[in-house]
């Protein structure tokens, strides 16, 4: 995990705010179903600005972006007036911004 946190994008983000790791969430879907899970990391950079960081060690897969999108939606549901962004961080050294 230290290798993933050493990514330049992640290090800058951590330096700019307060990081919360293993954040539980609940998201009520449009059809009324409830989804629960744990977000790898949420960095709060201001009173109303958050970035979700999702760490991945395996190969890139389309469902990674879908997972990040769900997390972003969940935090937006919890904090409707906040700005919420997402960042996928892969072990091989790259990052993808999302939502």
């Amino acid at each position: 995990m230290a290798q993933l946190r050493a990514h330049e994008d992640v290090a800058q983000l951590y330096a700019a705010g307060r990081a919360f790791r293993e954040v539980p969430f609940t998201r009520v879907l449009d059809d009324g179903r409830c989804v629960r899970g744990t977000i790898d990391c949420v960095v709060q950079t201001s009173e109303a600005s958050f970035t979700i960081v999702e760490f991945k060690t395996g190969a890139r897969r389309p469902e990674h972006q879908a997972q990040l999108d769900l997390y972003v939606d969940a935090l937006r549901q919890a904090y409707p007036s906040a700005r919420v962004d997402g960042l996928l961080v892969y072990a091989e050294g790259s990052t993808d911004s999302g939502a």
Side-chain angles (χ1 to χ4, degrees), residues 8-54:
E8 184 177 338
D9 290 357
V10 176
Q12 289 175 0
L13 186 60
Y14 277 24
R18 184 171 175 201
F20 300 90
R21 292 173 188 82
E22 300 297 321
V23 177
F25 78 94
T26 300
R27 167 75 165 99
V28 178
L29 302 177
D30 293 336
D31 63 6
R33 290 181 296 143
C34 191
V35 178
R36 291 182 177 89
T38 303
I39 300 169
D40 286 343
C41 183
V42 177
V43 180
Q44 184 176 13
T45 54
S46 74
E47 182 73 21
S49 182
F50 301 90
T51 299
I52 294 172
V53 183
E54 179 64 16

